[in-house]
Amino acid sequence: MPSYSAPIDDIKFVLQDVLEIHDSPIPGYSELDEEYLNAILEEASKISNEVLAPLNSIGDEHGCTFENGIVYTPPGFKDAFNQLRDGGWTGIDCDVNFGGQGLPYLVSIAVGEMFASANMALGMYHGLTHGAYSAIYSHGSDEQKKKYLPNLVNCKWTGTMNLTEPHCGTDLGLMRTKAIRRSDGTFQISGQKIFISAGDHDLAENIIHLVLAKIPNGPAGVKGISLFIVPKFLVNDDGSLGARNQVSVGKIEKKMGIHGNATCVMNYDGATGYLVGEEHKGMRAMFTMMNEARLGVGLQGLSQAELAYQNALAYAKDRLQGRDVTGSKNPNGLADPIIVHPDIRRNLMDQKCFSEGSRAFILWGANIIDKATRTSDINADGLIGLLTPVIKGFLTDKGFDMTIQAQQIYGGHGYIEEWGMSQFARDARIAMIYEGANGIQALDLVGRKLPQDQGKNMIAFFTILKTYIKENQKKSEEFDNIFLEPMKSATADLEGAVLYFMDKGIKNPNDALSGSYDFMHLFGYVCLGFMWCKMAEASFEATTSGSHNNDFHQSKISTGQYFMERQLPFTKLHLARIRTGSNVVMKLKPENF
Amino acid sequence: MPSYSAPIDDIKFVLQDVLEIHDSPIPGYSELDEEYLNAILEEASKISNEVLAPLNSIGDEHGCTFENGIVYTPPGFKDAFNQLRDGGWTGIDCDVNFGGQGLPYLVSIAVGEMFASANMALGMYHGLTHGAYSAIYSHGSDEQKKKYLPNLVNCKWTGTMNLTEPHCGTDLGLMRTKAIRRSDGTFQISGQKIFISAGDHDLAENIIHLVLAKIPNGPAGVKGISLFIVPKFLVNDDGSLGARNQVSVGKIEKKMGIHGNATCVMNYDGATGYLVGEEHKGMRAMFTMMNEARLGVGLQGLSQAELAYQNALAYAKDRLQGRDVTGSKNPNGLADPIIVHPDIRRNLMDQKCFSEGSRAFILWGANIIDKATRTSDINADGLIGLLTPVIKGFLTDKGFDMTIQAQQIYGGHGYIEEWGMSQFARDARIAMIYEGANGIQALDLVGRKLPQDQGKNMIAFFTILKTYIKENQKKSEEFDNIFLEPMKSATADLEGAVLYFMDKGIKNPNDALSGSYDFMHLFGYVCLGFMWCKMAEASFEATTSGSHNNDFHQSKISTGQYFMERQLPFTKLHLARIRTGSNVVMKLKPENF
């Protein structure tokens, strides 16, 4: 019953009119001329709408099954996965030397949004494989790269990330999984890992587990963690599959959502593992993948919000109930479509300005990652490090909220599974939790990223905002009043929060940490505000230069205005909460709760 | 795995120290001495903790089944329901003449919170029966009362409310179900009703459906709607069960939550119905029940928030992960309990101040209902009419948010069904939708309740607040600064919103309606702020008079301070949003979305 239509016009608007990728000096960007970009997006849109989306509710309803030690994905997943693989969609930004397309990361994110909207659970199988690819690509030996990467790029094999253990989530220093060196240089891996997405399934002939474990007698805590490749089937030197490794599925979890993705308990019982990079440097290998993985999760927040919004909008235009108080808009019908009612509008506009603003934010983030990786721009690397927890934490929190608002438009029907709105919310919920729960993102932002290098990246971010405001002032009174003035005010709120942390946090770190979650949200609103300024600027330019797509640009400006008036004021609330410090937060003794 | 422990100390604090029921002139209140009240609450707590709560996850997992036309409830529900019935818990506030306990409504709400926390889906079977009781009690003939009420009071029979049809939810004027008068004075009811909670099941020997239908040739729209009793089995004059009526279950819905309650499509195929009250006056009968039913749904918002909070708190004290940045609190353990981390605290404090504030708010609401029904206080009736959409809309929105925050404390485990946190969120979600979706509550508040009788009830509410502030000023500097000053400021924000609506809404109703949702929330924060002032006042008094329960009262004051500093500032955000009016909300044409 629910439907999805990939928003390619909007994606193109951000890439071409806002990020102006055709003028970018980043290697690979200039090849993305309009025709080529269109071809990619149209084709990805087709597979999203026609192949992936129809399986979304099937995946939710059937879920994965675990029988006699074998995990089965929902009906249709295998065929759809093969189509993704055959079309080269699993290696968009991977190295051509290993069979990838070599396109910018930006393109894989643009396409990734569609795939994640159309079928988040299915998309995770190749999403996690991409993570494994990146880990081996960045830290593996040449031999490991040659052996594993080509089949990970084309998803003949898939990958997993094994971090969590029952007693050890965020605090990886507590890890118990052991890796004992054998005389042949391989390691014997023993331990239990939980919450392993795509841990086992029937979509690929082999699964390459990347496992964090401790080599005995190494440094304590996270400094003694190493990274290992543990294939489900050992791989012979000629690339053929060898013996079954000593890794097995304990069970698959019954979850709130993403039923189509198998979340496994993995038992390693003396499995053969191969060290990736250096001993005890496993965390470094994990961290290099973090920005990318977390941006991918932020993308899921957007993708579910977009999907839910599209369906809510269609329902609001279709459902007849009540009359417009200012005069009927459907006098010959029994009632007016509910989109005439102000509170339904308020709800839809919240969703619309979130989806469009977030899309620009994420694509901007991907653009910065390309800058960092393709031009070795050290400032870009610092900037994306700062923005990553905001993209992950803010967009998944708000993305989930938007699925709930979209569900509300349906009234009682929203609560009935067959209408699909429940699934979007249940699926979106996980994105707030995995790849570091959002509270951890806030901690990473305030405790690590903000003070890093004497606040260099935060200062750079403020410089970007202020330069933008300065350069775009007085172009038009309308743009100044509607966009730049509130943007200035929101920027000042963000500065106010940073100053508060600098002033108080040095004396008592809890004064900063008690405001970390609010800071992450404050930062998120500022980023979306900035994106809306840039989008509105592009649309003002288009309308004054007589764009043939005037309605699109007018709508963009109106939606931006809605954001600036109705969403950006959240910065003041968050600043007020931050300034209350830690006293009221930490006052109560645990036993008096 | 999840657990529940009824918060009777907190309920008693509100009833005795805040509402001071022992000093109330409301009939029935003086009988509630400490001993009697204790006995009731302790006994209700016992059945909640020991009988209802253990079935909560079972109900979720098994759900209801529909086989060969018969609906079965989950294992154990029947026995538990019998225990509620045998204990007299289904008729706490019902008329003694029909077998009820005749206790104040306030008591049924205090007990109702526990039952709804322990097992929301099971509680709905007698909750809806109470609604049917009230409808017949207020509008039925003496003969109908005699025939149906005793068995509804003791839940030998249960009741349902049948309003919604596939094309007709909020807009009841579109109703198609027909009632044709027969020569014997009964009516022949034909039509389909959907979303009928407890529509059929195996817990009772008969089900009394209250059905809204249109008698042909009556007034158009809602003015032509009548209310009918349609029993599943016709009832003979001697009270015995007669023939099966022409009403059947079409299907049961697969829902996001409350799986233990059967949500049915009901088909009326010429069923025999009995008119309740006058022809075409069915809406009036429905509306008299609305305040009560909506308060009951608001209670569900609190109940799920409380349940989720209790479990999140236990987990936060138990889960060891990371170290307190200001120094370990568990130096001999591998890590500190996560309750030491400021962001976990922030999350828990949000929940704690919501649950305790809402509990006071709802009990205050029930107290006002008692005043209205037991003393015929016309002002009390107006006041509760004004507060009802706030209780329903605000408490279910925020209650759901709190279940999501509680789930977040669990990290990945929160997403796994067996930990229970998912169920609490999924169950809480419906409360934002049924008994009038929360957007409709906001519309009712701003469009109807606010301007009613020239704003008399709103003015009365402001008088209550201002009188309270005036009378309690300068008792202590601490109370003034921490509680009364922010309360004054929040009250001014609420007034600002009312003035904005008065100024703009008259010219353009959409300027008011575009802010209706924000107004409902602004109002909600003001009410909780008021409750926190009253609770803190009581606790300050207790501590200065040397209470033996000093920790309880200090904790109450700290939690209140948290609310005033960290939650009450939301009023400023909502006012800012309200003041943007309808321009940005209504600007876009539907086709340009």
Side-chain angles (χ1 to χ4, degrees), chain B residues 80-360:
Chain B
F81 196 68
N82 284 340
Q83 289 190 52
L84 286 177
R85 181 151 61 195
D86 294 345
W89 295 109
T90 59
I92 295 175
D93 64 321
C94 296
D95 191 331
V96 290
N97 292 315
F98 300 107
Q101 310 282 330
L103 287 163
Y105 180 62
L106 182 71
V107 176
S108 82
I109 285 298
V111 169
E113 185 204 322
M114 303 183 202
F115 289 176
S117 284
N119 198 322
M120 179 168 152
L122 179 56
M124 289 170 66
Y125 290 100
H126 56 91
L128 285 152
T129 305
H130 194 281
Y133 161 87
S134 297
I136 296 172
Y137 186 76
S138 304
H139 301 278
S141 66
D142 287 342
E143 190 200 334
Q144 288 170 338
K145 291 183 196 177
K146 200 176 138 213
K147 199 168 197 172
Y148 298 104
L149 293 189
N151 284 332
L152 287 173
V153 168
N154 67 25
C155 274
K156 194 169 154 192
W157 303 345
T158 64
T160 71
M161 304 302 307
N162 291 241
L163 286 79
T164 307
E165 300 178 7
H167 64 289
C168 145
T170 299
D171 190 351
L172 290 171
L174 302 176
M175 191 170 291
R176 287 184 193 147
T177 297
K178 275 201 177 54
I180 295 170
R181 185 185 281 275
R182 294 179 182 139
S183 55
D184 64 357
T186 68
F187 286 78
Q188 180 172 312
I189 313 288
S190 303
Q192 188 179 64
K193 295 287 182 176
I194 64 170
F195 303 155
I196 308 309
S197 297
D200 200 27
H201 55 81
D202 55 359
L203 302 180
E205 61 182 45
N206 199 10
I207 299 175
I208 308 305
H209 301 290
L210 286 178
V211 181
L212 290 182
K214 284 189 159 182
I215 300 169
N217 306 318
V222 291
K223 288 178 183 161
I225 291 176
S226 307
L227 180 66
F228 299 89
I229 291 171
V230 185
K232 178 177 172 182
F233 291 98
L234 299 179
V235 180
N236 298 322
D237 287 341
D238 65 359
S240 63
L241 297 188
R244 182 75 155 82
N245 206 349
Q246 294 306 304
V247 48
S248 60
V249 177
K251 67 167 177 172
I252 61 174
E253 305 283 1
K254 211 182 147 201
K255 308 184 300 291
M256 187 177 185
I258 52 166
H259 295 163
N261 198 280
T263 305
C264 301
V265 171
M266 301 301 301
N267 294 319
Y268 295 87
D269 302 306
T272 297
Y274 308 95
L275 183 68
V276 179
E278 293 174 51
E279 277 187 26
H280 313 315
K281 304 284 186 195
M283 288 306 286
R284 206 175 56 185
M286 292 305 299
F287 270 112
T288 53
M289 285 182 305
M290 281 296 183
N291 287 347
E292 191 188 300
R294 289 178 171 177
L295 191 130
V297 175
L299 186 65
Q300 292 179 333
L302 158 62
S303 74
Q304 297 310 294
E306 167 69 28
L307 175 62
Y309 167 64
Q310 286 190 13
N311 284 279
L313 176 61
Y315 191 80
K317 288 180 177 181
D318 183 61
R319 175 80 170 171
L320 304 180
Q321 210 79 179
R323 290 290 181 193
D324 186 332
V325 290
T326 62
S328 173
K329 296 294 178 289
N330 181 31
N332 298 323
L334 286 172
D336 287 343
I338 60 173
I339 196 170
V340 305
H341 303 308
D343 189 61
I344 296 286
R345 284 291 186 108
R346 183 263 322 156
N347 186 337
L348 288 171
M349 290 301 295
D350 282 348
Q351 295 177 58
K352 183 173 169 62
C353 73
F354 173 77
S355 282
E356 296 177 15
S358 306
R359 179 169 300 120

Side-chain angles (χ1 to χ4, degrees), chain A residues 265-466:
Chain A
V265 171
M266 301 301 301
N267 294 319
Y268 294 87
D269 301 307
T272 297
Y274 309 94
L275 183 68
V276 179
E278 293 172 53
E279 277 187 26
H280 313 314
K281 303 284 188 196
M283 288 305 287
R284 205 175 57 185
M286 292 306 299
F287 270 112
T288 53
M289 287 181 304
M290 281 296 185
N291 287 348
E292 191 188 297
R294 290 179 171 178
L295 192 129
V297 176
L299 187 65
Q300 292 180 333
L302 158 63
S303 74
Q304 297 310 294
E306 168 70 27
L307 175 62
Y309 167 64
Q310 286 190 14
N311 284 279
L313 176 61
Y315 190 81
K317 287 179 175 179
D318 184 61
R319 174 80 170 172
L320 305 179
Q321 209 80 180
R323 290 291 183 193
D324 186 334
V325 290
T326 63
S328 174
K329 295 294 178 288
N330 181 32
N332 298 324
L334 285 173
D336 288 343
I338 60 173
I339 197 171
V340 304
H341 303 307
D343 188 61
I344 296 286
R345 283 292 187 107
R346 184 264 322 157
N347 186 337
L348 289 170
M349 290 301 294
D350 282 348
Q351 295 177 58
K352 184 174 169 62
C353 73
F354 172 78
S355 282
E356 295 176 15
S358 307
R359 179 170 297 120
F361 186 23
I362 280 194
L363 290 171
W364 182 44
N367 179 217
I368 300 169
I369 288 181
D370 276 331
K371 210 174 283 174
T373 55
R374 294 185 163 230
T375 71
S376 303
D377 179 336
I378 185 95
N379 294 327
D381 196 58
L383 181 61
I384 193 62
L386 178 72
L387 295 180
T388 294
V390 183
I391 292 175
K392 197 283 184 182
F394 179 69
L395 295 192
T396 60
D397 274 358
K398 288 288 150 187
F400 172 72
D401 287 350
M402 291 304 113
T403 65
I404 294 295
Q405 285 197 201
Q407 185 183 25
Q408 194 70 11
I409 301 260
Y410 277 68
H413 298 94
Y415 201 64
I416 309 297
E417 290 292 350
E418 70 180 295
W419 289 80
M421 304 307 284
S422 163
Q423 183 190 351
F424 307 154
R426 289 184 291 97
D427 285 358
R429 182 66 184 87
I430 188 59
M432 296 159 68
I433 299 172
Y434 61 17
E435 281 301 331
N438 286 355
I440 299 300
Q441 303 300 325
L443 178 66
D444 178 49
L445 178 63
V446 171
R448 230 165 58 88
K449 301 296 176 59
L450 186 57
Q452 213 166 34
D453 298 330
Q454 287 78 49
K456 188 190 82 166
N457 299 311
M458 192 71 225
I459 294 166
F461 180 76
F462 281 124
T463 304
I464 292 172
L465 293 186
K466 289 179 180 177

